[in-house]
Amino acid sequence: MGREITIFQFRRWLLAYAARIIENESHLTELDTAIGDADHGVNMRRGMEKLQERLQEDAQTEDIGTFLRSVAMTLISAVGGAAGPLYGTFFLRAATSPTNGRSVDLIQLTQMFRYGLDGLQQRGKAQADDKTMIDTIQPAVEAMEAALAARQSAAVVLAAARQAAHLGMKHTIEIEAKKGRASYLGPHSIGHQDPGATSAYFLFETAAEALTTFNSSGNSSERAA
Amino acid sequence: MGREITIFQFRRWLLAYAARIIENESHLTELDTAIGDADHGVNMRRGMEKLQERLQEDAQTEDIGTFLRSVAMTLISAVGGAAGPLYGTFFLRAATSPTNGRSVDLIQLTQMFRYGLDGLQQRGKAQADDKTMIDTIQPAVEAMEAALAARQSAAVVLAAARQAAHLGMKHTIEIEAKKGRASYLGPHSIGHQDPGATSAYFLFETAAEALTTFNSSGNSSERAA
Amino acid sequence: MHSFMNTPGSAITQSLRGMALCHPDIIQVHFDPDFVERVAPTQAGKVAIVSGSGSGHEPLPIGYVGFGMLDAACPGPIFTSPSPIQLLAAVHSVDQGGGVLFVVKNYSGGVLNAELTIEMALQEGIDVRSVLVNDDVSIPIVANRRGLGAAALACKIAGAAAESGYSLDAVVDVTRRAIAASRSMGVGTNVNTLPRNGRGVNLADDTIELGVGIHGEPGEVRSVHQGVPEIVGMLIQPILDDLPYAADDRVLLLVSGMGGTPPLELYLFSEAIHELLSAHQIRVERQLVGNYLTSLGRGGYTTTLMKLDNELRDLWDAPVHTPALHW
Amino acid sequence: MHSFMNTPGSAITQSLRGMALCHPDIIQVHFDPDFVERVAPTQAGKVAIVSGSGSGHEPLPIGYVGFGMLDAACPGPIFTSPSPIQLLAAVHSVDQGGGVLFVVKNYSGGVLNAELTIEMALQEGIDVRSVLVNDDVSIPIVANRRGLGAAALACKIAGAAAESGYSLDAVVDVTRRAIAASRSMGVGTNVNTLPRNGRGVNLADDTIELGVGIHGEPGEVRSVHQGVPEIVGMLIQPILDDLPYAADDRVLLLVSGMGGTPPLELYLFSEAIHELLSAHQIRVERQLVGNYLTSLGRGGYTTTLMKLDNELRDLWDAPVHTPALHW
Ligand SMILES: Nc1ncnc2c1ncn2[C@@H]1O[C@H](COP(=O)(O)OP(=O)(O)O)[C@@H](O)[C@H]1O
Ligand SMILES: Nc1ncnc2c1ncn2[C@@H]1O[C@H](COP(=O)(O)OP(=O)(O)O)[C@@H](O)[C@H]1O
Ligand SMILES: [Mg+2]
Ligand SMILES: [Mg+2]
Ligand SMILES: [Mg+2]
Ligand SMILES: [Mg+2]
């Protein structure tokens, strides 16, 4: 099953995610300008700045469940809009999956993403092809499960997730929105990439980077570039 | 003293004036856009359309005093803004000057303009060089008086009035407004021609045309071009 | 367009402080998490009414806090629904043991945040319910219909019911009935501005947009040369078609500017609406014309009809004392 | 910008009809000549208060017709004062034998039309007086100072005085005192539109105009980067400098949007105004924040301070029931 993924890596992952989102704020807002209310980048940046503050704190002693719950509460309180409760629910539910306290193995990691996806789907009631973040997250989690079943390494599993997430995100360009603000545009929403599907892609992109590079330290001076 | 000027000519004059103003509506509004509230053309056209209606009526029997009073009331009720009461007062006061009932001689005509000017000045309390219609009307009336004193013909007297009115109107470009909305601009009002001075010029331009061409009929099919 | 709201965080905080300073007898503001609460004392056991909304729709929701209407309102960032943290803080502050009702406009963000909050509150044993406002007939899929003017009306009805001692169940029922009796449609004219990112969408002089939302969501572009009665027909007919209407039906008419449309124009349209309704023998029994649900400085307005019965009319007429409604 | 008010004649007529339909219990409208009259019965001998104004400043003047404020209002075309014919018809309709007071904003048109009307009325033996509202401190020549927010305040003070039985002389005196105690200043932000001729003046995103009027009159252009407190300082300081103010002076604060500025921004500025006044130890005893004197959809607002004494405060507090003010 390879090395376990520690809470330090989780922390690195979310720091990388926050940085990636902040870099892409205006891109996300542009996407939301075309088919929404022009705030997805603003919302996510607001949440990510709070997340960065949160991630400066006490990663030394927490277990993964507590850590993910606090990430969830940070997103819920700071992102706002639709994305806040959705990402928040993803992490809240991921936190309820089994861990080894301060680390997870690849099976547990995959299960964690599945728990998150199921929670997000219950919360938002969106299906695949509704043109939401589900179109990124669902194929990514399915790709993880398939790669895991094929007994691939963590690096391969997460690379598969990233690739499926990317395809899913791009697929949102072609489809009509059925959920969220973009649905008000009906067929006019076709031709535009969904902002939430895009911010969700970065979750898998940064996971593939941070969860597969191992290092044992987790002190707070360490920041993802 | 030459031929008397009849009520039919007064009627032709005011029809010509109404037509000239309507032709120049957008010009007058443009001037008022630069230094006022962009409505002088609109105001004057509204008044002139009512005046045209009024001038379709019973010119056959009225005396000049009654006629001018009714012109005044039409302008007062339909022009609005500052120009309505000012032009209205001009004609109200002109109506109180001596006439021969249905005609005036050149002395009476000149006096009529003087009465009108004095009334307008009492009403508006503007002086020469305040950048208002006074800057057109006052030199025009003074030119009439001078030409009359020099025993000129009606044609010469009215041509002198027109020329002085034109110079007065152009002079408003060079001066700073002290009355009316343009005064809010202070020195920034310099360089723009006053809209009211411009509409007042047309009064003398059309007077020089209509009050010196004699024809005896005054039926309502006859309209100034 | 320039806007001083460009820096949402601090500007909204200052704006909230300004509201409290200007209406100290009616509202008080709490920060971190942000919510606004009524000053008037409430009866123990009274159902508390709470509404959250993105900012930029003023007077909704804060202008509706006060006696006879909302017990608390939670303002989010511009056009972004407030967080469960804010909603839960408001619940803690206003619950009198009679339970709490959330009046929620049907947008993903509003709904999801309310649901999360309700789960949290239930875990603490507080009975929080929600009603969804979904009056916008311009959306073909009924489940996706947005909340427009009926949000203000629902807050008034719920507040009056709560004030006069209805139980939580009864408040929920009558508010749902009020919403079910309401239909709305928006029209956008000229400039639509989302000041946060400096973007302004300028429509040509001779076009309107039918079915716009209150967050800058575009509608269907039409030429304006069709004239006021035609535009009013395009707005009102879909409303009338969506609920069975019969001669002598009584309605509450709300014509709300989106912010950038002068009152003169709102009254111009109101006159044409009255004319059209009277041609259908529908009686305007109550009405409200003004800026009651805005979209920052956007040009345009929304029209809402709520079919009235005696109970709804009496709840509408019940005394109210808020910054925006007072009788 | 598109505007449905482009064809002033008929649009204003329809808009007036709309106002009357929407407030049938408060106002009634007469056409040809156009004026709006209050419905509430008046005491015989009560001084009647009348105000005329160009349209486009709503709610001024029609929104102020009703118990405790105006007996009649005469709307002119957009930004153009009404004619003596309208004013005289209003006088005939509302005079109860106690005389009539015109509240006149100091613009050539308004003043000249009022004077002409007063001459006509005096010839008929009706005692009509006028008070000039000239609160705009941005105009250096005092005689030319425009009427801004103090127009709404003067109508309230005059109306309350008349309602409580003051004689014509006494109404004139107290209204003059209210105006003399008032100073205003306007600031324009972003878009300024004169829809009649389709002209829109767009300021750059980062500029404001200090000392703008309510008819699109431009002000002095300044960069906006100076921030809210600085802008508020530039607005309030000239007001404070123009009347002697001492610590513990009490004021009525009016912050009126010009139409295109969202409430959020008005409250943002109000907060900074409160802060500045409290630094000067000036007490805001009463206040009004909202759209009370507009300039069609223009962005910006005017700030008015009226120094209060007990009489003025009590007249301000006296009951009023109009479309725009109600307490
Ligand atoms: N019901 C839903 N289920 C899943 N994702 C959703 C749902 N509704 C909206 N979203 C996602 O949320 C994104 C918009 O987020 P954001 O702009 O932050 O919130 P808002 O729509 O409230 O302005 C959409 O692009 C979409 O991916
Ligand atoms: N006090 C005054 N005396 C003489 N003319 C005046 C006075 N005030 C304004 N005017 C004239 O009126 C003109 C403006 O008329 P108009 O635009 O119709 O009215 P308003 O200024 O009310 O919009 C000015 O150009 C000026 O010539
Ligand atoms: Mg969005
Ligand atoms: Mg003008
Ligand atoms: Mg949003
Ligand atoms: Mg004018």
Side-chain angles (χ1 to χ4, degrees), chain A residues 118-129:
Chain A
D118 288 350
L120 198 159
Q121 208 150 13
Q122 275 166 28
R123 172 73 60 215
K125 296 178 195 69
Q127 307 299 320
D129 282 347

Side-chain angles (χ1 to χ4, degrees), chain B residues 17 21 87 133 136-137 165 195-205:
Chain B
Y17 181 58
I21 291 289
Y87 280 118
M133 54 177 68
T136 298
I137 303 175
T198 309
S199 58
Y201 165 69
F202 293 126
L203 206 54
F204 293 93
E205 188 182 81

Side-chain angles (χ1 to χ4, degrees), chain A:
Chain A
M1 244 358 316
R3 289 177 68 162
E4 298 232 320
I5 295 151
T6 67
I7 188 162
F8 300 113
Q9 281 167 278
F10 276 92
R11 192 172 153 281
R12 277 175 53 109
W13 169 36
L14 290 167
L15 280 169
Y17 182 58
R20 194 66 43 88
I21 290 289
I22 291 170
E23 275 162 42
N24 283 279
E25 173 189 345
S26 61
H27 174 50
L28 294 173
T29 289
E30 261 165 48
L31 294 173
D32 200 29
T33 300
I35 55 170
D37 60 349
D39 66 358
H40 189 58
V42 184
N43 293 346
M44 291 298 289
R45 179 184 43 71
R46 191 175 44 238
M48 293 304 127
E49 284 171 357
K50 283 282 176 212
L51 187 60
Q52 288 177 330
E53 282 174 33
R54 170 63 190 79
L55 293 174
Q56 298 312 316
E57 294 166 23
D58 58 1
Q60 304 297 333
T61 55
E62 278 174 319
D63 66 49
I64 291 182
T66 312
F67 174 75
L68 291 179
R69 249 188 309 279
S70 107
V71 167
M73 288 314 293
T74 303
L75 298 181
I76 287 171
S77 67
V79 174
L86 289 169
Y87 280 119
T89 302
F90 178 86
F91 285 105
L92 266 188
R93 282 302 204 81
T96 64
S97 75
T99 69
N100 305 326
R102 291 175 45 84
S103 67
V104 290
D105 62 29
L106 191 54
I107 299 175
Q108 289 169 333
L109 181 74
T110 305
Q111 220 172 15
M112 182 174 282
F113 274 94
R114 163 58 65 187
Y115 271 56
L117 167 63
D118 288 350
L120 198 159
Q121 208 150 13
Q122 275 166 28
R123 172 73 60 215
K125 296 178 195 69
Q127 307 299 320
D129 282 347
D130 281 354
K131 194 176 185 124
T132 67
M133 56 178 67
I134 291 291
D135 292 312
T136 297
I137 302 174
Q138 181 172 310
V141 172
E142 286 169 3
M144 285 177 83
E145 290 166 342
L148 183 74
R151 301 182 167 269
Q152 302 295 327
S153 69
V156 173
V157 165
L158 286 164
R162 183 222 311 243
Q163 196 187 0
H166 195 267
L167 287 173
M169 167 183 85
K170 287 294 174 192
H171 176 60
T172 63
I173 299 177
E174 289 146 36
I175 54 183
E176 181 179 332
K178 300 289 178 199
K179 284 276 174 187
R181 291 182 196 281
S183 70
Y184 308 140
L185 292 175
H188 297 292
S189 62
I190 296 172
H192 300 278
Q193 184 169 313
D194 181 62
T198 309
S199 58
Y201 164 68
F202 293 125
L203 207 55
F204 293 94
E205 189 181 84
T206 51
E209 292 158 12
L211 298 183
T212 56
T213 8
F214 298 94
N215 78 347
S216 52
S217 120
N219 62 45
S220 55
S221 66
E222 167 211 4
R223 293 283 289 271

